[in-house]
Amino acid sequence: MGIKVRTQSKKVDKAWLNQHVNDPYVRLAQKEGYRARAAYKLKEIDESLGLVQPGQAIVDLGSSPGAWSQYLRRRLGTDPVTGQVRGQIIALDLLPMEPVDGVLFIQGDFREADVLAQLEGALQGRGMSRLDLVVSDMAPNLSGIASADAARITDLVELAVDFAARHLRPQGALVVKLFHGAAYGPLVDLFRQTFRTVRTIKPKASRDKSSETFLVGMGLK
């Protein structure tokens, strides 16, 4: 039995590796210096809705390994006179993240009050009293138990919505990742209760087999 399991595992690993190596977005990320193919998911959402503009104040939740922060940093650009970022970006994740030039990173669990307080303190310290954009690529470790996974997904998205509702400008926007399943409908309803405009986007860079999609809320009610 053990040999069969290992053989099957090797086949699965080899199939995944083959798909990964031949993935056009993986190749493009390597070529353009992004840490992960996920950058192109945010890029497509941004290009579709025009969310990111120079001069904005942005928070990136669930930022590691940093591909979204890299994309945001490139989109904000650099002031030719001062050499500073044309805007502000704060990134947060439970996992460590290699530094991204011009991005302040905070390591911690977004669900813990002291980490949220640290993030809010950083916002104040950088004069970011109101945010233009919050993006969240946060995702729980899925167990395969539908009810438990739905609860975990709901918890993270509700936290992101609550944070955005308290910190966004009236015209600001929130982007979150979620998965089709029991949590999907209620979370779309939550977005509709919170934002004037709600869009669902499945970027081309999302793998076909993945149930992930992205919810975008624009303009607080």
mmCIF file of all heavy atoms in Angstrom, residues 88-139:
data_model
loop_
_atom_site.group_PDB
_atom_site.id
_atom_site.type_symbol
_atom_site.label_atom_id
_atom_site.label_comp_id
_atom_site.label_asym_id
_atom_site.label_seq_id
_atom_site.Cartn_x
_atom_site.Cartn_y
_atom_site.Cartn_z
ATOM 1 N N GLN A 88 1.026 55.376 -0.819
ATOM 2 C CA GLN A 88 1.421 54.622 0.360
ATOM 3 C C GLN A 88 0.861 53.203 0.260
ATOM 4 O O GLN A 88 -0.305 53.020 -0.082
ATOM 5 C CB GLN A 88 0.852 55.280 1.625
ATOM 6 C CG GLN A 88 1.264 56.728 1.829
ATOM 7 C CD GLN A 88 2.581 56.853 2.586
ATOM 8 O OE1 GLN A 88 3.244 55.846 2.834
ATOM 9 N NE2 GLN A 88 2.960 58.063 2.953
ATOM 10 N N ILE A 89 1.687 52.221 0.594
ATOM 11 C CA ILE A 89 1.234 50.828 0.612
ATOM 12 C C ILE A 89 1.686 50.190 1.922
ATOM 13 O O ILE A 89 2.862 50.253 2.280
ATOM 14 C CB ILE A 89 1.815 50.001 -0.554
ATOM 15 C CG1 ILE A 89 1.514 50.643 -1.909
ATOM 16 C CG2 ILE A 89 1.254 48.566 -0.517
ATOM 17 C CD1 ILE A 89 2.282 50.012 -3.060
ATOM 18 N N ILE A 90 0.717 49.585 2.630
ATOM 19 C CA ILE A 90 1.039 48.782 3.801
ATOM 20 C C ILE A 90 0.557 47.362 3.524
ATOM 21 O O ILE A 90 -0.584 47.156 3.110
ATOM 22 C CB ILE A 90 0.384 49.321 5.082
ATOM 23 C CG1 ILE A 90 0.920 50.719 5.409
ATOM 24 C CG2 ILE A 90 0.651 48.380 6.252
ATOM 25 C CD1 ILE A 90 0.296 51.347 6.641
ATOM 26 N N ALA A 91 1.434 46.386 3.716
ATOM 27 C CA ALA A 91 1.115 44.975 3.489
ATOM 28 C C ALA A 91 1.121 44.235 4.818
ATOM 29 O O ALA A 91 1.880 44.589 5.732
ATOM 30 C CB ALA A 91 2.127 44.354 2.529
ATOM 31 N N LEU A 92 0.271 43.215 4.920
ATOM 32 C CA LEU A 92 0.182 42.442 6.154
ATOM 33 C C LEU A 92 -0.021 40.976 5.827
ATOM 34 O O LEU A 92 -0.784 40.630 4.922
ATOM 35 C CB LEU A 92 -0.987 42.958 7.013
ATOM 36 C CG LEU A 92 -1.196 42.298 8.382
ATOM 37 C CD1 LEU A 92 -1.665 43.319 9.405
ATOM 38 C CD2 LEU A 92 -2.202 41.150 8.313
ATOM 39 N N ASP A 93 0.667 40.113 6.572
ATOM 40 C CA ASP A 93 0.463 38.676 6.398
ATOM 41 C C ASP A 93 0.942 37.937 7.634
ATOM 42 O O ASP A 93 1.842 38.413 8.340
ATOM 43 C CB ASP A 93 1.215 38.143 5.173
ATOM 44 C CG ASP A 93 0.636 36.818 4.669
ATOM 45 O OD1 ASP A 93 0.763 35.802 5.370
ATOM 46 O OD2 ASP A 93 0.055 36.802 3.582
ATOM 47 N N LEU A 94 0.350 36.772 7.866
ATOM 48 C CA LEU A 94 0.778 35.897 8.942
ATOM 49 C C LEU A 94 2.170 35.335 8.650
ATOM 50 O O LEU A 94 2.978 35.122 9.552
ATOM 51 C CB LEU A 94 -0.237 34.753 9.089
ATOM 52 C CG LEU A 94 0.022 33.693 10.155
ATOM 53 C CD1 LEU A 94 0.018 34.329 11.536
ATOM 54 C CD2 LEU A 94 -1.041 32.606 10.077
ATOM 55 N N LEU A 95 2.452 35.115 7.371
ATOM 56 C CA LEU A 95 3.738 34.573 6.943
ATOM 57 C C LEU A 95 4.738 35.692 6.685
ATOM 58 O O LEU A 95 4.345 36.829 6.392
ATOM 59 C CB LEU A 95 3.564 33.752 5.662
ATOM 60 C CG LEU A 95 2.619 32.559 5.746
ATOM 61 C CD1 LEU A 95 2.405 31.970 4.358
ATOM 62 C CD2 LEU A 95 3.166 31.507 6.696
ATOM 63 N N PRO A 96 6.033 35.404 6.763
ATOM 64 C CA PRO A 96 7.027 36.427 6.428
ATOM 65 C C PRO A 96 6.986 36.782 4.951
ATOM 66 O O PRO A 96 6.468 36.008 4.123
ATOM 67 C CB PRO A 96 8.360 35.759 6.792
ATOM 68 C CG PRO A 96 8.086 34.291 6.756
ATOM 69 C CD PRO A 96 6.651 34.121 7.157
ATOM 70 N N MET A 97 7.480 37.960 4.619
ATOM 71 C CA MET A 97 7.523 38.400 3.225
ATOM 72 C C MET A 97 8.827 39.138 2.963
ATOM 73 O O MET A 97 9.227 39.996 3.756
ATOM 74 C CB MET A 97 6.323 39.329 2.926
ATOM 75 C CG MET A 97 6.218 39.756 1.463
ATOM 76 S SD MET A 97 4.778 40.828 1.154
ATOM 77 C CE MET A 97 5.513 42.465 1.383
ATOM 78 N N GLU A 98 9.487 38.773 1.897
ATOM 79 C CA GLU A 98 10.692 39.499 1.509
ATOM 80 C C GLU A 98 10.316 40.954 1.231
ATOM 81 O O GLU A 98 9.251 41.221 0.668
ATOM 82 C CB GLU A 98 11.308 38.873 0.250
ATOM 83 C CG GLU A 98 11.967 37.521 0.486
ATOM 84 C CD GLU A 98 13.191 37.619 1.368
ATOM 85 O OE1 GLU A 98 13.971 38.583 1.208
ATOM 86 O OE2 GLU A 98 13.357 36.745 2.232
ATOM 87 N N PRO A 99 11.177 41.906 1.616
ATOM 88 C CA PRO A 99 10.828 43.317 1.438
ATOM 89 C C PRO A 99 10.525 43.680 -0.015
ATOM 90 O O PRO A 99 11.140 43.149 -0.940
ATOM 91 C CB PRO A 99 12.087 44.043 1.928
ATOM 92 C CG PRO A 99 12.774 43.075 2.848
ATOM 93 C CD PRO A 99 12.483 41.718 2.272
ATOM 94 N N VAL A 100 9.569 44.562 -0.186
ATOM 95 C CA VAL A 100 9.277 45.179 -1.480
ATOM 96 C C VAL A 100 9.561 46.663 -1.320
ATOM 97 O O VAL A 100 9.025 47.309 -0.410
ATOM 98 C CB VAL A 100 7.807 44.963 -1.904
ATOM 99 C CG1 VAL A 100 7.503 45.718 -3.197
ATOM 100 C CG2 VAL A 100 7.506 43.484 -2.068
ATOM 101 N N ASP A 101 10.413 47.198 -2.145
ATOM 102 C CA ASP A 101 10.813 48.604 -2.045
ATOM 103 C C ASP A 101 9.589 49.502 -2.028
ATOM 104 O O ASP A 101 8.723 49.423 -2.904
ATOM 105 C CB ASP A 101 11.716 48.976 -3.229
ATOM 106 C CG ASP A 101 12.160 50.429 -3.158
ATOM 107 O OD1 ASP A 101 12.701 50.827 -2.118
ATOM 108 O OD2 ASP A 101 11.932 51.160 -4.145
ATOM 109 N N GLY A 102 9.518 50.364 -1.006
ATOM 110 C CA GLY A 102 8.416 51.312 -0.929
ATOM 111 C C GLY A 102 7.161 50.777 -0.272
ATOM 112 O O GLY A 102 6.153 51.478 -0.200
ATOM 113 N N VAL A 103 7.208 49.541 0.240
ATOM 114 C CA VAL A 103 6.053 48.919 0.890
ATOM 115 C C VAL A 103 6.398 48.624 2.347
ATOM 116 O O VAL A 103 7.422 48.007 2.637
ATOM 117 C CB VAL A 103 5.636 47.612 0.178
ATOM 118 C CG1 VAL A 103 4.499 46.924 0.936
ATOM 119 C CG2 VAL A 103 5.223 47.891 -1.258
ATOM 120 N N LEU A 104 5.537 49.084 3.279
ATOM 121 C CA LEU A 104 5.712 48.764 4.691
ATOM 122 C C LEU A 104 5.024 47.433 4.968
ATOM 123 O O LEU A 104 3.838 47.273 4.691
ATOM 124 C CB LEU A 104 5.093 49.859 5.569
ATOM 125 C CG LEU A 104 5.055 49.565 7.072
ATOM 126 C CD1 LEU A 104 6.470 49.464 7.634
ATOM 127 C CD2 LEU A 104 4.260 50.630 7.812
ATOM 128 N N PHE A 105 5.768 46.470 5.521
ATOM 129 C CA PHE A 105 5.210 45.148 5.801
ATOM 130 C C PHE A 105 5.065 44.925 7.293
ATOM 131 O O PHE A 105 5.965 45.230 8.077
ATOM 132 C CB PHE A 105 6.104 44.048 5.212
ATOM 133 C CG PHE A 105 5.646 42.662 5.571
ATOM 134 C CD1 PHE A 105 4.436 42.170 5.106
ATOM 135 C CD2 PHE A 105 6.422 41.852 6.397
ATOM 136 C CE1 PHE A 105 3.997 40.888 5.445
ATOM 137 C CE2 PHE A 105 6.000 40.569 6.736
ATOM 138 C CZ PHE A 105 4.787 40.096 6.258
ATOM 139 N N ILE A 106 3.909 44.386 7.688
ATOM 140 C CA ILE A 106 3.639 44.009 9.073
ATOM 141 C C ILE A 106 3.333 42.520 9.086
ATOM 142 O O ILE A 106 2.458 42.058 8.353
ATOM 143 C CB ILE A 106 2.443 44.787 9.652
ATOM 144 C CG1 ILE A 106 2.737 46.293 9.675
ATOM 145 C CG2 ILE A 106 2.093 44.287 11.051
ATOM 146 C CD1 ILE A 106 1.523 47.139 10.013
ATOM 147 N N GLN A 107 4.061 41.761 9.910
ATOM 148 C CA GLN A 107 3.795 40.327 10.019
ATOM 149 C C GLN A 107 2.919 40.054 11.232
ATOM 150 O O GLN A 107 3.226 40.469 12.351
ATOM 151 C CB GLN A 107 5.093 39.528 10.140
ATOM 152 C CG GLN A 107 4.849 38.017 10.136
ATOM 153 C CD GLN A 107 6.135 37.214 10.098
ATOM 154 O OE1 GLN A 107 7.227 37.773 9.918
ATOM 155 N NE2 GLN A 107 6.036 35.906 10.253
ATOM 156 N N GLY A 108 1.806 39.373 11.003
ATOM 157 C CA GLY A 108 0.908 39.045 12.103
ATOM 158 C C GLY A 108 -0.395 38.471 11.592
ATOM 159 O O GLY A 108 -0.666 38.469 10.389
ATOM 160 N N ASP A 109 -1.203 37.990 12.527
ATOM 161 C CA ASP A 109 -2.490 37.373 12.215
ATOM 162 C C ASP A 109 -3.572 38.447 12.208
ATOM 163 O O ASP A 109 -3.853 39.062 13.242
ATOM 164 C CB ASP A 109 -2.812 36.297 13.254
ATOM 165 C CG ASP A 109 -4.029 35.458 12.865
ATOM 166 O OD1 ASP A 109 -4.881 35.952 12.095
ATOM 167 O OD2 ASP A 109 -4.125 34.311 13.335
ATOM 168 N N PHE A 110 -4.183 38.663 11.067
ATOM 169 C CA PHE A 110 -5.190 39.709 10.894
ATOM 170 C C PHE A 110 -6.380 39.524 11.835
ATOM 171 O O PHE A 110 -7.101 40.469 12.127
ATOM 172 C CB PHE A 110 -5.659 39.709 9.430
ATOM 173 C CG PHE A 110 -6.592 40.829 9.077
ATOM 174 C CD1 PHE A 110 -6.161 42.141 9.075
ATOM 175 C CD2 PHE A 110 -7.913 40.572 8.741
ATOM 176 C CE1 PHE A 110 -7.014 43.180 8.751
ATOM 177 C CE2 PHE A 110 -8.782 41.600 8.407
ATOM 178 C CZ PHE A 110 -8.325 42.905 8.410
ATOM 179 N N ARG A 111 -6.594 38.309 12.309
ATOM 180 C CA ARG A 111 -7.733 38.038 13.189
ATOM 181 C C ARG A 111 -7.482 38.469 14.629
ATOM 182 O O ARG A 111 -8.402 38.489 15.445
ATOM 183 C CB ARG A 111 -8.075 36.543 13.149
ATOM 184 C CG ARG A 111 -8.611 36.077 11.804
ATOM 185 C CD ARG A 111 -8.611 34.570 11.699
ATOM 186 N NE ARG A 111 -7.253 34.030 11.700
ATOM 187 C CZ ARG A 111 -6.956 32.750 11.510
ATOM 188 N NH1 ARG A 111 -7.928 31.884 11.303
ATOM 189 N NH2 ARG A 111 -5.705 32.337 11.526
ATOM 190 N N GLU A 112 -6.232 38.837 14.963
ATOM 191 C CA GLU A 112 -5.899 39.220 16.329
ATOM 192 C C GLU A 112 -5.973 40.732 16.506
ATOM 193 O O GLU A 112 -5.474 41.499 15.681
ATOM 194 C CB GLU A 112 -4.501 38.714 16.691
ATOM 195 C CG GLU A 112 -4.414 37.196 16.710
ATOM 196 C CD GLU A 112 -3.030 36.694 17.060
ATOM 197 O OE1 GLU A 112 -2.133 37.534 17.294
ATOM 198 O OE2 GLU A 112 -2.839 35.455 17.088
ATOM 199 N N ALA A 113 -6.594 41.152 17.609
ATOM 200 C CA ALA A 113 -6.848 42.575 17.852
ATOM 201 C C ALA A 113 -5.556 43.392 17.899
ATOM 202 O O ALA A 113 -5.503 44.516 17.396
ATOM 203 C CB ALA A 113 -7.631 42.755 19.150
ATOM 204 N N ASP A 114 -4.490 42.825 18.495
ATOM 205 C CA ASP A 114 -3.253 43.593 18.614
ATOM 206 C C ASP A 114 -2.585 43.810 17.257
ATOM 207 O O ASP A 114 -1.943 44.834 17.027
ATOM 208 C CB ASP A 114 -2.278 42.925 19.586
ATOM 209 C CG ASP A 114 -1.870 41.528 19.151
ATOM 210 O OD1 ASP A 114 -2.689 40.854 18.488
ATOM 211 O OD2 ASP A 114 -0.745 41.106 19.463
ATOM 212 N N VAL A 115 -2.757 42.857 16.339
ATOM 213 C CA VAL A 115 -2.205 43.018 14.992
ATOM 214 C C VAL A 115 -2.991 44.084 14.227
ATOM 215 O O VAL A 115 -2.414 44.932 13.540
ATOM 216 C CB VAL A 115 -2.218 41.677 14.223
ATOM 217 C CG1 VAL A 115 -1.761 41.874 12.780
ATOM 218 C CG2 VAL A 115 -1.323 40.671 14.919
ATOM 219 N N LEU A 116 -4.319 44.052 14.373
ATOM 220 C CA LEU A 116 -5.140 45.098 13.757
ATOM 221 C C LEU A 116 -4.772 46.469 14.308
ATOM 222 O O LEU A 116 -4.688 47.454 13.561
ATOM 223 C CB LEU A 116 -6.626 44.820 14.016
ATOM 224 C CG LEU A 116 -7.390 44.056 12.949
ATOM 225 C CD1 LEU A 116 -8.825 43.835 13.388
ATOM 226 C CD2 LEU A 116 -7.358 44.787 11.620
ATOM 227 N N ALA A 117 -4.531 46.538 15.609
ATOM 228 C CA ALA A 117 -4.144 47.811 16.234
ATOM 229 C C ALA A 117 -2.798 48.285 15.685
ATOM 230 O O ALA A 117 -2.591 49.487 15.457
ATOM 231 C CB ALA A 117 -4.074 47.649 17.748
ATOM 232 N N GLN A 118 -1.883 47.345 15.460
ATOM 233 C CA GLN A 118 -0.585 47.685 14.879
ATOM 234 C C GLN A 118 -0.749 48.231 13.465
ATOM 235 O O GLN A 118 -0.105 49.214 13.084
ATOM 236 C CB GLN A 118 0.314 46.446 14.866
ATOM 237 C CG GLN A 118 1.753 46.725 14.455
ATOM 238 C CD GLN A 118 2.606 45.462 14.464
ATOM 239 O OE1 GLN A 118 2.189 44.418 14.953
ATOM 240 N NE2 GLN A 118 3.801 45.556 13.915
ATOM 241 N N LEU A 119 -1.634 47.605 12.694
ATOM 242 C CA LEU A 119 -1.898 48.072 11.334
ATOM 243 C C LEU A 119 -2.509 49.471 11.357
ATOM 244 O O LEU A 119 -2.095 50.358 10.591
ATOM 245 C CB LEU A 119 -2.830 47.090 10.621
ATOM 246 C CG LEU A 119 -3.300 47.464 9.208
ATOM 247 C CD1 LEU A 119 -2.120 47.712 8.277
ATOM 248 C CD2 LEU A 119 -4.187 46.364 8.637
ATOM 249 N N GLU A 120 -3.475 49.682 12.240
ATOM 250 C CA GLU A 120 -4.116 50.989 12.328
ATOM 251 C C GLU A 120 -3.128 52.054 12.794
ATOM 252 O O GLU A 120 -3.167 53.203 12.341
ATOM 253 C CB GLU A 120 -5.336 50.908 13.246
ATOM 254 C CG GLU A 120 -6.478 50.107 12.614
ATOM 255 C CD GLU A 120 -7.639 49.870 13.558
ATOM 256 O OE1 GLU A 120 -7.461 50.042 14.786
ATOM 257 O OE2 GLU A 120 -8.723 49.504 13.072
ATOM 258 N N GLY A 121 -2.226 51.662 13.696
ATOM 259 C CA GLY A 121 -1.191 52.597 14.130
ATOM 260 C C GLY A 121 -0.260 52.968 12.990
ATOM 261 O O GLY A 121 0.156 54.129 12.864
ATOM 262 N N ALA A 122 0.062 51.999 12.144
ATOM 263 C CA ALA A 122 0.917 52.272 10.981
ATOM 264 C C ALA A 122 0.212 53.201 9.994
ATOM 265 O O ALA A 122 0.847 54.069 9.391
ATOM 266 C CB ALA A 122 1.298 50.966 10.295
ATOM 267 N N LEU A 123 -1.095 53.015 9.839
ATOM 268 C CA LEU A 123 -1.862 53.902 8.963
ATOM 269 C C LEU A 123 -1.767 55.344 9.456
ATOM 270 O O LEU A 123 -1.505 56.271 8.675
ATOM 271 C CB LEU A 123 -3.338 53.476 8.918
ATOM 272 C CG LEU A 123 -3.671 52.126 8.287
ATOM 273 C CD1 LEU A 123 -5.166 51.848 8.403
ATOM 274 C CD2 LEU A 123 -3.262 52.084 6.834
ATOM 275 N N GLN A 124 -1.980 55.531 10.748
ATOM 276 C CA GLN A 124 -1.916 56.872 11.327
ATOM 277 C C GLN A 124 -0.507 57.441 11.212
ATOM 278 O O GLN A 124 -0.328 58.622 10.911
ATOM 279 C CB GLN A 124 -2.362 56.828 12.790
ATOM 280 C CG GLN A 124 -3.833 56.464 12.965
ATOM 281 C CD GLN A 124 -4.210 56.238 14.417
ATOM 282 O OE1 GLN A 124 -3.362 56.325 15.308
ATOM 283 N NE2 GLN A 124 -5.477 55.922 14.662
ATOM 284 N N GLY A 125 0.484 56.580 11.452
ATOM 285 C CA GLY A 125 1.872 57.030 11.383
ATOM 286 C C GLY A 125 2.271 57.513 10.000
ATOM 287 O O GLY A 125 3.165 58.348 9.862
ATOM 288 N N ARG A 126 1.617 56.985 8.986
ATOM 289 C CA ARG A 126 1.910 57.389 7.613
ATOM 290 C C ARG A 126 0.896 58.399 7.078
ATOM 291 O O ARG A 126 0.878 58.699 5.883
ATOM 292 C CB ARG A 126 1.942 56.159 6.705
ATOM 293 C CG ARG A 126 3.139 55.253 6.969
ATOM 294 C CD ARG A 126 3.437 54.367 5.786
ATOM 295 N NE ARG A 126 4.782 53.825 5.867
ATOM 296 C CZ ARG A 126 5.420 53.277 4.834
ATOM 297 N NH1 ARG A 126 4.838 53.203 3.655
ATOM 298 N NH2 ARG A 126 6.637 52.801 4.971
ATOM 299 N N GLY A 127 0.053 58.915 7.957
ATOM 300 C CA GLY A 127 -0.929 59.908 7.539
ATOM 301 C C GLY A 127 -2.018 59.340 6.654
ATOM 302 O O GLY A 127 -2.636 60.060 5.857
ATOM 303 N N MET A 128 -2.274 58.033 6.792
ATOM 304 C CA MET A 128 -3.279 57.379 5.959
ATOM 305 C C MET A 128 -4.589 57.285 6.743
ATOM 306 O O MET A 128 -5.028 56.214 7.152
ATOM 307 C CB MET A 128 -2.792 55.993 5.535
ATOM 308 C CG MET A 128 -1.524 56.026 4.693
ATOM 309 S SD MET A 128 -0.691 54.412 4.525
ATOM 310 C CE MET A 128 -1.849 53.477 3.532
ATOM 311 N N SER A 129 -5.224 58.426 6.982
ATOM 312 C CA SER A 129 -6.449 58.424 7.765
ATOM 313 C C SER A 129 -7.579 57.720 7.026
ATOM 314 O O SER A 129 -8.455 57.109 7.632
ATOM 315 C CB SER A 129 -6.869 59.857 8.096
ATOM 316 O OG SER A 129 -7.028 60.621 6.911
ATOM 317 N N ARG A 130 -7.569 57.803 5.702
ATOM 318 C CA ARG A 130 -8.574 57.127 4.896
ATOM 319 C C ARG A 130 -7.898 56.452 3.705
ATOM 320 O O ARG A 130 -7.018 57.027 3.065
ATOM 321 C CB ARG A 130 -9.628 58.115 4.399
ATOM 322 C CG ARG A 130 -10.690 58.448 5.455
ATOM 323 C CD ARG A 130 -11.626 57.265 5.653
ATOM 324 N NE ARG A 130 -12.607 57.497 6.719
ATOM 325 C CZ ARG A 130 -12.481 57.031 7.952
ATOM 326 N NH1 ARG A 130 -11.412 56.348 8.288
ATOM 327 N NH2 ARG A 130 -13.416 57.250 8.850
ATOM 328 N N LEU A 131 -8.323 55.226 3.424
ATOM 329 C CA LEU A 131 -7.719 54.437 2.352
ATOM 330 C C LEU A 131 -8.514 54.549 1.059
ATOM 331 O O LEU A 131 -9.735 54.684 1.075
ATOM 332 C CB LEU A 131 -7.649 52.964 2.765
ATOM 333 C CG LEU A 131 -6.827 52.634 4.011
ATOM 334 C CD1 LEU A 131 -7.020 51.179 4.403
ATOM 335 C CD2 LEU A 131 -5.358 52.951 3.794
ATOM 336 N N ASP A 132 -7.796 54.455 -0.050
ATOM 337 C CA ASP A 132 -8.441 54.421 -1.361
ATOM 338 C C ASP A 132 -8.777 53.001 -1.786
ATOM 339 O O ASP A 132 -9.739 52.774 -2.521
ATOM 340 C CB ASP A 132 -7.513 55.054 -2.412
ATOM 341 C CG ASP A 132 -7.218 56.504 -2.105
ATOM 342 O OD1 ASP A 132 -8.096 57.344 -2.329
ATOM 343 O OD2 ASP A 132 -6.106 56.776 -1.624
ATOM 344 N N LEU A 133 -7.970 52.045 -1.318
ATOM 345 C CA LEU A 133 -8.125 50.672 -1.780
ATOM 346 C C LEU A 133 -7.617 49.687 -0.731
ATOM 347 O O LEU A 133 -6.571 49.901 -0.130
ATOM 348 C CB LEU A 133 -7.341 50.483 -3.085
ATOM 349 C CG LEU A 133 -7.344 49.106 -3.746
ATOM 350 C CD1 LEU A 133 -8.747 48.700 -4.179
ATOM 351 C CD2 LEU A 133 -6.386 49.087 -4.947
ATOM 352 N N VAL A 134 -8.389 48.626 -0.525
ATOM 353 C CA VAL A 134 -7.953 47.489 0.284
ATOM 354 C C VAL A 134 -8.056 46.256 -0.603
ATOM 355 O O VAL A 134 -9.101 46.018 -1.223
ATOM 356 C CB VAL A 134 -8.825 47.299 1.542
ATOM 357 C CG1 VAL A 134 -8.397 46.042 2.303
ATOM 358 C CG2 VAL A 134 -8.739 48.522 2.452
ATOM 359 N N VAL A 135 -6.973 45.506 -0.695
ATOM 360 C CA VAL A 135 -6.994 44.260 -1.471
ATOM 361 C C VAL A 135 -6.660 43.103 -0.533
ATOM 362 O O VAL A 135 -5.816 43.234 0.349
ATOM 363 C CB VAL A 135 -6.008 44.291 -2.664
ATOM 364 C CG1 VAL A 135 -6.386 45.389 -3.637
ATOM 365 C CG2 VAL A 135 -4.567 44.478 -2.207
ATOM 366 N N SER A 136 -7.343 41.992 -0.713
ATOM 367 C CA SER A 136 -7.144 40.842 0.171
ATOM 368 C C SER A 136 -7.063 39.556 -0.631
ATOM 369 O O SER A 136 -8.034 39.143 -1.266
ATOM 370 C CB SER A 136 -8.290 40.736 1.186
ATOM 371 O OG SER A 136 -8.189 39.520 1.907
ATOM 372 N N ASP A 137 -5.893 38.933 -0.586
ATOM 373 C CA ASP A 137 -5.704 37.616 -1.190
ATOM 374 C C ASP A 137 -5.668 36.562 -0.089
ATOM 375 O O ASP A 137 -5.149 35.478 -0.281
ATOM 376 C CB ASP A 137 -4.410 37.596 -2.011
ATOM 377 C CG ASP A 137 -4.393 36.481 -3.054
ATOM 378 O OD1 ASP A 137 -5.488 36.050 -3.472
ATOM 379 O OD2 ASP A 137 -3.304 36.043 -3.455
ATOM 380 N N MET A 138 -6.215 36.930 1.079
ATOM 381 C CA MET A 138 -6.219 36.008 2.215
ATOM 382 C C MET A 138 -7.067 34.783 1.896
ATOM 383 O O MET A 138 -8.126 34.884 1.280
ATOM 384 C CB MET A 138 -6.801 36.683 3.461
ATOM 385 C CG MET A 138 -5.952 37.776 4.045
ATOM 386 S SD MET A 138 -6.567 38.313 5.681
ATOM 387 C CE MET A 138 -8.185 38.972 5.285
ATOM 388 N N ALA A 139 -6.580 33.627 2.317
ATOM 389 C CA ALA A 139 -7.329 32.388 2.147
ATOM 390 C C ALA A 139 -6.973 31.461 3.298
ATOM 391 O O ALA A 139 -5.803 31.344 3.660
ATOM 392 C CB ALA A 139 -7.008 31.727 0.814
#
